[in-house]
Short mmCIF file of all heavy atoms in Angstrom, two decimals:
data_model
loop_
_atom_site.label_atom_id
_atom_site.label_comp_id
_atom_site.label_asym_id
_atom_site.label_seq_id
_atom_site.Cartn_x
_atom_site.Cartn_y
_atom_site.Cartn_z
N SER B 1228 102.47 125.52 210.00
CA SER B 1228 102.07 124.41 210.96
C SER B 1228 103.13 123.92 211.84
O SER B 1228 102.98 123.71 213.02
CB SER B 1228 101.45 123.26 210.16
OG SER B 1228 100.15 123.63 209.56
N PHE B 1229 104.37 123.77 211.27
CA PHE B 1229 105.55 123.17 211.98
C PHE B 1229 105.85 124.19 213.14
O PHE B 1229 106.11 123.75 214.27
CB PHE B 1229 106.70 123.00 211.03
CG PHE B 1229 107.91 122.48 211.76
CD1 PHE B 1229 107.98 121.14 212.09
CD2 PHE B 1229 108.96 123.26 212.09
CE1 PHE B 1229 109.03 120.61 212.71
CE2 PHE B 1229 110.05 122.69 212.75
CZ PHE B 1229 110.11 121.41 213.06
N LEU B 1230 105.91 125.47 212.82
CA LEU B 1230 106.33 126.45 213.82
C LEU B 1230 105.30 126.53 214.97
O LEU B 1230 105.65 126.56 216.18
CB LEU B 1230 106.51 127.83 213.23
CG LEU B 1230 107.82 127.97 212.27
CD1 LEU B 1230 107.87 129.37 211.77
CD2 LEU B 1230 109.03 127.60 213.10
N ARG B 1231 104.01 126.47 214.59
CA ARG B 1231 102.99 126.62 215.60
C ARG B 1231 102.97 125.41 216.48
O ARG B 1231 102.96 125.41 217.78
CB ARG B 1231 101.65 126.79 214.97
CG ARG B 1231 101.45 128.19 214.37
CD ARG B 1231 100.12 128.30 213.64
NE ARG B 1231 99.98 129.57 213.00
CZ ARG B 1231 98.91 129.88 212.32
NH1 ARG B 1231 97.89 129.09 212.11
NH2 ARG B 1231 98.85 131.11 211.73
N ILE B 1232 103.07 124.18 215.92
CA ILE B 1232 102.99 122.91 216.66
C ILE B 1232 104.21 122.71 217.56
O ILE B 1232 104.16 122.38 218.69
CB ILE B 1232 102.79 121.71 215.78
CG1 ILE B 1232 101.33 121.77 215.14
CG2 ILE B 1232 102.83 120.44 216.52
CD1 ILE B 1232 101.11 120.81 214.02
N THR B 1233 105.35 123.11 216.97
CA THR B 1233 106.64 123.05 217.71
C THR B 1233 106.66 123.99 218.85
O THR B 1233 107.11 123.67 219.95
CB THR B 1233 107.83 123.28 216.75
OG1 THR B 1233 107.90 122.47 215.71
CG2 THR B 1233 109.09 123.26 217.51
N ALA B 1234 106.11 125.17 218.64
CA ALA B 1234 105.94 126.18 219.74
C ALA B 1234 105.12 125.58 220.93
O ALA B 1234 105.46 125.73 222.06
CB ALA B 1234 105.40 127.47 219.25
N GLY B 1235 104.05 125.00 220.47
CA GLY B 1235 103.15 124.35 221.52
C GLY B 1235 103.86 123.29 222.24
O GLY B 1235 103.69 123.15 223.57
N PHE B 1236 104.62 122.44 221.51
CA PHE B 1236 105.32 121.37 222.12
C PHE B 1236 106.47 121.93 223.10
O PHE B 1236 106.56 121.40 224.28
CB PHE B 1236 106.03 120.46 221.10
CG PHE B 1236 106.91 119.47 221.65
CD1 PHE B 1236 106.45 118.23 222.18
CD2 PHE B 1236 108.39 119.77 221.74
CE1 PHE B 1236 107.35 117.33 222.69
CE2 PHE B 1236 109.18 118.76 222.29
CZ PHE B 1236 108.68 117.55 222.73
N VAL B 1237 107.18 122.92 222.67
CA VAL B 1237 108.17 123.53 223.53
C VAL B 1237 107.67 124.15 224.79
O VAL B 1237 108.18 123.92 225.94
CB VAL B 1237 109.07 124.60 222.69
CG1 VAL B 1237 109.99 125.25 223.67
CG2 VAL B 1237 109.82 123.86 221.65
N LEU B 1238 106.47 124.83 224.61
CA LEU B 1238 105.85 125.44 225.83
C LEU B 1238 105.36 124.30 226.83
O LEU B 1238 105.49 124.46 228.00
CB LEU B 1238 104.65 126.29 225.34
CG LEU B 1238 104.95 127.68 224.75
CD1 LEU B 1238 103.70 128.26 224.23
CD2 LEU B 1238 105.59 128.55 225.78
N GLY B 1239 104.88 123.27 226.20
CA GLY B 1239 104.43 122.19 227.05
C GLY B 1239 105.56 121.46 227.76
O GLY B 1239 105.52 121.15 228.97
N PHE B 1240 106.68 121.30 227.07
CA PHE B 1240 107.88 120.67 227.63
C PHE B 1240 108.44 121.50 228.74
O PHE B 1240 108.69 120.99 229.86
CB PHE B 1240 108.92 120.45 226.51
CG PHE B 1240 110.29 120.09 227.02
CD1 PHE B 1240 110.50 118.74 227.42
CD2 PHE B 1240 111.28 121.00 227.13
CE1 PHE B 1240 111.73 118.41 227.94
CE2 PHE B 1240 112.51 120.60 227.69
CZ PHE B 1240 112.74 119.31 228.04
N LEU B 1241 108.64 122.83 228.55
CA LEU B 1241 109.12 123.69 229.56
C LEU B 1241 108.27 123.77 230.83
O LEU B 1241 108.71 123.70 231.98
CB LEU B 1241 109.47 125.12 229.04
CG LEU B 1241 110.48 125.18 227.85
CD1 LEU B 1241 110.49 126.67 227.33
CD2 LEU B 1241 111.83 124.72 228.37
N SER B 1242 106.90 123.87 230.57
CA SER B 1242 105.99 123.90 231.69
C SER B 1242 106.05 122.61 232.43
O SER B 1242 105.91 122.56 233.66
CB SER B 1242 104.60 124.14 231.14
OG SER B 1242 104.52 125.32 230.46
N ALA B 1243 106.15 121.41 231.71
CA ALA B 1243 106.14 120.11 232.34
C ALA B 1243 107.37 119.93 233.22
O ALA B 1243 107.31 119.46 234.33
CB ALA B 1243 106.09 119.02 231.32
N VAL B 1244 108.50 120.44 232.72
CA VAL B 1244 109.77 120.35 233.51
C VAL B 1244 109.65 121.18 234.81
O VAL B 1244 109.97 120.69 235.86
CB VAL B 1244 111.01 120.84 232.62
CG1 VAL B 1244 112.23 120.90 233.50
CG2 VAL B 1244 111.23 119.85 231.45
N LEU B 1245 109.20 122.37 234.61
CA LEU B 1245 109.09 123.27 235.79
C LEU B 1245 108.07 122.68 236.78
O LEU B 1245 108.43 122.60 238.04
CB LEU B 1245 108.65 124.69 235.33
CG LEU B 1245 108.41 125.67 236.43
CD1 LEU B 1245 109.67 125.97 237.21
CD2 LEU B 1245 107.91 126.96 235.90
N LEU B 1246 106.90 122.37 236.37
CA LEU B 1246 105.83 121.90 237.31
C LEU B 1246 106.23 120.51 237.88
O LEU B 1246 105.97 120.37 239.04
CB LEU B 1246 104.56 121.70 236.51
CG LEU B 1246 103.88 123.06 236.17
CD1 LEU B 1246 102.65 122.81 235.38
CD2 LEU B 1246 103.53 123.87 237.39
N SER B 1247 106.88 119.63 237.19
CA SER B 1247 107.26 118.36 237.67
C SER B 1247 108.22 118.44 238.82
O SER B 1247 108.19 117.80 239.84
CB SER B 1247 107.72 117.39 236.60
OG SER B 1247 108.87 117.92 236.00
N PHE B 1248 109.19 119.34 238.66
CA PHE B 1248 110.26 119.55 239.76
C PHE B 1248 109.61 120.16 240.91
O PHE B 1248 109.88 119.84 242.04
CB PHE B 1248 111.36 120.32 239.16
CG PHE B 1248 112.46 119.53 238.54
CD1 PHE B 1248 112.33 119.15 237.19
CD2 PHE B 1248 113.60 119.11 239.26
CE1 PHE B 1248 113.37 118.51 236.61
CE2 PHE B 1248 114.60 118.34 238.63
CZ PHE B 1248 114.44 118.01 237.29
N LEU B 1249 108.76 121.26 240.68
CA LEU B 1249 108.10 121.81 241.71
C LEU B 1249 107.17 120.88 242.47
O LEU B 1249 107.01 120.85 243.75
CB LEU B 1249 107.26 123.11 241.22
CG LEU B 1249 108.03 124.27 240.78
CD1 LEU B 1249 107.16 125.32 240.19
CD2 LEU B 1249 108.82 124.88 241.94
N GLY B 1250 106.45 120.06 241.73
CA GLY B 1250 105.56 119.03 242.33
C GLY B 1250 106.31 117.96 243.14
O GLY B 1250 105.79 117.46 244.11
N PHE B 1251 107.53 117.70 242.68
CA PHE B 1251 108.33 116.76 243.36
C PHE B 1251 108.79 117.28 244.72
O PHE B 1251 108.76 116.57 245.76
CB PHE B 1251 109.59 116.31 242.53
CG PHE B 1251 110.52 115.33 243.17
CD1 PHE B 1251 110.08 114.03 243.40
CD2 PHE B 1251 111.76 115.79 243.62
CE1 PHE B 1251 111.03 113.15 244.02
CE2 PHE B 1251 112.58 114.91 244.23
CZ PHE B 1251 112.28 113.60 244.46
N PHE B 1252 109.23 118.57 244.71
CA PHE B 1252 109.75 119.17 245.96
C PHE B 1252 108.64 119.65 246.90
O PHE B 1252 108.80 119.76 248.06
CB PHE B 1252 110.72 120.28 245.58
CG PHE B 1252 111.95 119.82 245.09
CD1 PHE B 1252 112.38 120.03 243.73
CD2 PHE B 1252 112.93 119.01 245.86
CE1 PHE B 1252 113.58 119.71 243.25
CE2 PHE B 1252 114.14 118.61 245.37
CZ PHE B 1252 114.43 118.91 244.02
N LEU B 1253 107.42 119.94 246.27
CA LEU B 1253 106.35 120.39 246.94
C LEU B 1253 105.13 119.45 246.75
O LEU B 1253 104.29 119.64 245.81
CB LEU B 1253 105.93 121.83 246.59
CG LEU B 1253 106.95 122.92 246.73
CD1 LEU B 1253 106.59 124.15 245.93
CD2 LEU B 1253 107.38 123.11 248.17
N PRO B 1254 105.05 118.33 247.56
CA PRO B 1254 104.00 117.33 247.30
C PRO B 1254 102.59 117.95 247.27
O PRO B 1254 101.71 117.44 246.50
CB PRO B 1254 104.16 116.37 248.47
CG PRO B 1254 105.59 116.53 248.88
CD PRO B 1254 105.94 118.01 248.66
N PHE B 1255 102.33 118.96 248.03
CA PHE B 1255 100.94 119.55 247.97
C PHE B 1255 100.62 120.07 246.67
O PHE B 1255 99.48 119.96 246.12
CB PHE B 1255 100.75 120.61 249.06
CG PHE B 1255 99.48 121.41 248.99
CD1 PHE B 1255 98.26 120.71 249.45
CD2 PHE B 1255 99.38 122.68 248.47
CE1 PHE B 1255 97.11 121.36 249.40
CE2 PHE B 1255 98.14 123.21 248.41
CZ PHE B 1255 97.03 122.63 248.87
N LEU B 1256 101.57 120.72 245.95
CA LEU B 1256 101.42 121.29 244.61
C LEU B 1256 101.11 120.16 243.67
O LEU B 1256 100.22 120.35 242.73
CB LEU B 1256 102.68 122.02 244.17
CG LEU B 1256 102.65 122.60 242.73
CD1 LEU B 1256 101.48 123.64 242.67
CD2 LEU B 1256 103.99 123.26 242.39
N HIS B 1257 101.80 119.02 243.80
CA HIS B 1257 101.50 117.82 242.99
C HIS B 1257 100.09 117.33 243.03
O HIS B 1257 99.38 117.20 242.04
CB HIS B 1257 102.43 116.74 243.23
CG HIS B 1257 102.15 115.42 242.53
ND1 HIS B 1257 102.25 115.25 241.20
CD2 HIS B 1257 101.60 114.28 243.06
CE1 HIS B 1257 101.91 114.07 240.95
NE2 HIS B 1257 101.44 113.43 242.05
N ARG B 1258 99.59 117.33 244.29
CA ARG B 1258 98.23 116.90 244.56
C ARG B 1258 97.17 117.95 244.04
O ARG B 1258 96.13 117.62 243.57
CB ARG B 1258 97.96 116.60 246.02
CG ARG B 1258 98.73 115.45 246.60
CD ARG B 1258 98.28 115.12 247.94
NE ARG B 1258 98.49 116.13 248.89
CZ ARG B 1258 99.73 116.26 249.71
NH1 ARG B 1258 100.64 115.36 249.48
NH2 ARG B 1258 99.87 117.21 250.55
N LEU B 1259 97.65 119.23 244.15
CA LEU B 1259 96.78 120.35 243.69
C LEU B 1259 96.55 120.29 242.22
O LEU B 1259 95.40 120.51 241.74
CB LEU B 1259 97.32 121.60 244.16
CG LEU B 1259 96.57 122.94 243.80
CD1 LEU B 1259 95.25 122.90 244.59
CD2 LEU B 1259 97.33 124.14 244.07
N ILE B 1260 97.56 120.12 241.41
CA ILE B 1260 97.49 120.25 239.94
C ILE B 1260 97.12 118.88 239.31
O ILE B 1260 96.79 118.93 238.11
CB ILE B 1260 98.74 120.77 239.36
CG1 ILE B 1260 99.94 119.83 239.59
CG2 ILE B 1260 99.05 122.19 239.92
CD1 ILE B 1260 101.23 120.33 238.92
N SER B 1261 97.22 117.76 239.98
CA SER B 1261 96.99 116.44 239.39
C SER B 1261 95.62 116.34 238.79
O SER B 1261 95.39 115.83 237.65
CB SER B 1261 97.14 115.39 240.41
OG SER B 1261 98.57 115.16 240.74
N PRO B 1262 94.54 116.88 239.40
CA PRO B 1262 93.19 116.77 238.78
C PRO B 1262 93.11 117.53 237.43
O PRO B 1262 92.48 117.13 236.51
CB PRO B 1262 92.24 117.38 239.84
CG PRO B 1262 93.01 117.26 241.15
CD PRO B 1262 94.40 117.36 240.81
N VAL B 1263 93.78 118.70 237.42
CA VAL B 1263 93.79 119.50 236.18
C VAL B 1263 94.48 118.76 235.15
O VAL B 1263 94.04 118.71 233.96
CB VAL B 1263 94.42 120.84 236.44
CG1 VAL B 1263 94.48 121.64 235.10
CG2 VAL B 1263 93.70 121.62 237.43
N LEU B 1264 95.66 118.15 235.37
CA LEU B 1264 96.41 117.45 234.37
C LEU B 1264 95.60 116.14 233.90
O LEU B 1264 95.73 115.83 232.71
CB LEU B 1264 97.80 117.02 234.94
CG LEU B 1264 98.70 118.18 235.29
CD1 LEU B 1264 100.00 117.68 235.97
CD2 LEU B 1264 99.15 118.93 234.04
N THR B 1265 94.90 115.55 234.83
CA THR B 1265 94.09 114.45 234.45
C THR B 1265 92.93 114.82 233.46
O THR B 1265 92.70 114.09 232.51
CB THR B 1265 93.47 113.76 235.70
OG1 THR B 1265 94.43 113.33 236.57
CG2 THR B 1265 92.57 112.59 235.33
#
């Protein structure tokens, strides 16, 4: 359980870092993915 949940957390963290920086520099991308994240 620990390895699986930690793996999910790490994947979520890395994806969030990448997408948030891309969304910050590319405002259209932020608007595009915001509904999905909601």
